[in-house]
């Protein structure tokens, strides 16, 4: 890993806006119109939650992604900057609109509709190559929502490897459920692979976690960390060693929106600090747990002090001085 870099972390790709409609009168029906009782328009996307929270923990973070030259694009840019994420690498497309997800909440359940917009059209050729010199680490999430970036992964890997930049990836869910992810050729280029257990099962083609882990081990570059919801996470080393770490259980979950992204933020914050992988995993579990104490993906990450206060008051844990 590079010793230095202008940015500890560059988050690459996925950016959009969430239009959250709450207290809906009933399920949308073709040919009819209904009321929602409440609406919030906010920065969305799993990669943006990751970027905001890793910056909150103290990693110097930049975002390289494509937005439209429109009002949603300005919302994305301003919201990232307000979270302390450098926006200098954002690309403003004159051709494509900023994407959005309409989130319809029915009680505890949600129905989402996403227009990918600009993020689907950002390929390797759009990237300012300087970012590979300035980054120590690159994180990619939601690869199935970004067809051009997915197509160009070999170029991204080559540029990162040439510049000595480490790379992590959380695939997230595949909205078309084809799970077209050639793990045998891709995993050897990903230092830290971080899907959840369901996603890993779909990628490998088995619902048995042990079998899925055995299938990926020969292709790991360094490690995988598999997120298992309230059960915790499983760290898998390139040598086949495994370490299941139970979660810091929160019995009063506000919601688990973004818990996986916050896990990634905690883990990668430790990784770029040079902590040992089990310590990164512990920081991941703690960040996922802290995430569940407040609404949405960034509610519990208002400052590092607030994070440490929750960690100590709710979970009885203090951060090591190295984190
Ligand atoms: N109810 C919970 N209490 C404490 N920690 C949790 C809870 N739910 C999730 N976490 C933590 O957050 C991490 C990520 O959550 P998970 O739901 O597995 O991710 P994803 O959103 O990617 O599916 C888990 O590995 C766990 O450590
Ligand atoms: Mg996830």
């Amino acid at each position: 890993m590079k010793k230095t870099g202008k940015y500890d972390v560059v988050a690459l790709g996925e950016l959009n806006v969430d239009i959250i409609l709450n207290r809906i009168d009933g399920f949308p029906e073709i040919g009819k119109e209904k009321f929602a009782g409440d609406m919030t328009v906010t920065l969305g996307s799993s990669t943006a939650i990751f970027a905001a929270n890793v910056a909150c923990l103290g990693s110097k973070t930049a975002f390289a992604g494509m937005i439209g030259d429109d009002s949603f694009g300005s919302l994305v840019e301003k919201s990232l900057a307000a979270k302390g994420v450098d926006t200098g690498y954002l690309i403003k497309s004159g051709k494509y609109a900023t994407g959005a997800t309409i989130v319809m909440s029915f009680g505890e359940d949600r129905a989402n509709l996403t227009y990918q917009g600009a993020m689907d059209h950002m390929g390797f050729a759009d990237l300012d190559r300087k970012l590979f010199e300035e980054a120590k680490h690159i994180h990619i999430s939601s690869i199935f929502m970004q067809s051009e970036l997915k197509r160009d992964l070999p170029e991204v890997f080559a540029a990162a490897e040439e510049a000595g930049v480490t790379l992590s990836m959380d695939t997230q869910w595949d909205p078309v459920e084809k799970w077209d992810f050639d793990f045998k050729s891709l995993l050897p280029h990903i230092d830290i692979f971080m899907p959840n257990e369901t996603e890993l099962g779909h990628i490998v083609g088995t619902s048995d976690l042990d079998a899925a882990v055995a299938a990926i081990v020969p292709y790991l570059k360094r490690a995988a960390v598999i997120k298992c919801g309230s059960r915790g996470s499983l760290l898998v080393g390139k040598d086949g060693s495994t370490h299941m770490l139970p979660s810091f259980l929160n019995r009063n979950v506000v919601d688990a929106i973004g818990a996986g992204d916050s896990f990634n933020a905690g883990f990668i914050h430790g990784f770029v600090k040079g902590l040992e992988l089990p310590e990164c995993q512990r920081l991941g579990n703690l960040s996922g747990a802290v995430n569940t104490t407040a609404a949405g993906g960034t509610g519990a990450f208002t400052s590092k002090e607030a994070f440490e206060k929750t960690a100590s008051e709710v979970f009885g844990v203090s951060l090591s001085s190295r984190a």
Side-chain angles (χ1 to χ4, degrees):
M1 196 201 274
K2 275 191 202 170
K3 292 272 184 299
T4 54
K6 183 172 175 197
Y7 299 107
D8 297 312
V9 181
V10 172
L12 188 60
E14 184 211 21
L15 273 177
N16 72 352
V17 163
D18 275 351
I19 303 168
I20 305 169
L21 301 172
N22 288 320
R23 293 189 289 114
I24 293 180
D25 278 353
F27 207 81
E29 283 176 80
I30 291 166
K32 293 192 179 178
E33 182 148 358
K34 295 182 184 184
F35 285 127
D38 176 60
M39 178 177 88
T40 308
V41 181
T42 182
L43 175 64
S45 87
S46 133
T47 317
I49 294 172
F50 162 83
N53 294 352
V54 82
C56 171
L57 292 175
S59 286
K60 196 147 177 23
T61 306
F63 209 115
M66 192 183 271
I67 51 176
D69 188 5
D70 48 29
S71 55
F72 279 173
S74 319
L75 187 150
V76 164
E77 193 171 2
K78 283 188 192 135
S79 309
L80 284 173
K83 295 283 186 186
V85 176
D86 194 306
T87 57
Y89 280 121
L90 289 190
I91 304 156
K92 222 168 257 176
S93 166
K95 202 164 157 196
Y96 304 105
T98 308
T101 294
I102 301 180
V103 181
M104 289 161 279
S105 298
F106 298 84
E108 295 287 281
D109 285 325
R110 311 166 129 224
N112 291 358
L113 258 184
T114 290
Y115 171 64
Q116 295 146 278
M119 70 163 137
D120 196 32
H121 300 281
M122 187 190 78
F124 181 72
D126 297 303
L127 298 176
D128 181 346
R129 305 296 154 79
K130 204 164 77 192
L131 79 86
F132 294 96
E133 287 157 37
E134 295 196 330
K136 207 166 149 183
H137 182 87
I138 289 177
H139 180 76
I140 299 176
S141 186
S142 304
I143 194 65
F144 298 111
M145 292 200 185
Q146 309 177 79
S147 44
E148 298 204 10
L149 185 64
K150 184 165 178 289
R151 178 200 65 200
D152 293 348
L153 280 177
E155 280 108 312
V156 173
F157 292 156
E161 278 157 21
E162 200 192 327
V165 178
T166 49
L167 191 139
S168 51
M169 184 187 289
D170 181 346
T171 59
Q172 299 282 21
W173 188 254
D174 177 9
V176 297
E177 296 185 44
K178 281 195 190 149
W179 301 99
D180 172 21
F181 186 87
D182 182 7
F183 68 92
K184 295 181 182 175
S185 69
L186 297 172
L187 291 188
H189 302 284
I190 300 172
D191 294 271
I192 309 290
F193 183 52
M194 26 194 15
N196 71 22
E197 56 183 332
T198 316
E199 292 150 2
L200 176 68
H202 284 295
I203 287 164
V204 172
T206 169
S207 58
D208 180 75
L209 183 56
D210 292 338
V213 166
I216 61 170
V217 163
Y219 306 98
L220 292 181
K221 182 171 182 186
R222 188 141 178 201
V225 61
I226 317 300
K227 289 164 281 177
C228 306
S230 59
R231 289 191 355 270
S233 61
L234 179 69
L235 180 65
V236 183
K238 151 184 192 56
D239 59 358
S241 61
T242 56
H243 181 238
M244 181 75 202
L245 185 67
S247 70
F248 294 95
L249 196 58
N250 179 10
R251 292 182 201 287
N252 299 301
V253 172
V254 174
D255 68 52
I257 296 167
D261 309 315
S262 295
F263 175 98
N264 297 344
F267 191 104
I268 295 303
H269 175 68
F271 185 70
V272 296
K273 287 249 168 194
L275 303 189
E276 297 298 321
L277 295 179
E279 183 58 23
C280 300
Q281 180 184 22
R282 186 173 162 275
L283 212 47
N285 274 17
L286 181 61
S287 300
V290 166
N291 177 108
T292 65
T293 63
T298 58
F301 291 78
T302 49
S303 67
K304 187 154 186 183
E305 293 69 42
F307 175 89
E308 291 191 274
K309 189 163 183 276
T310 307
S312 113
E313 286 178 3
V314 182
F315 302 104
V317 175
S318 57
L319 286 189
S320 80
S321 55
R322 294 175 64 213

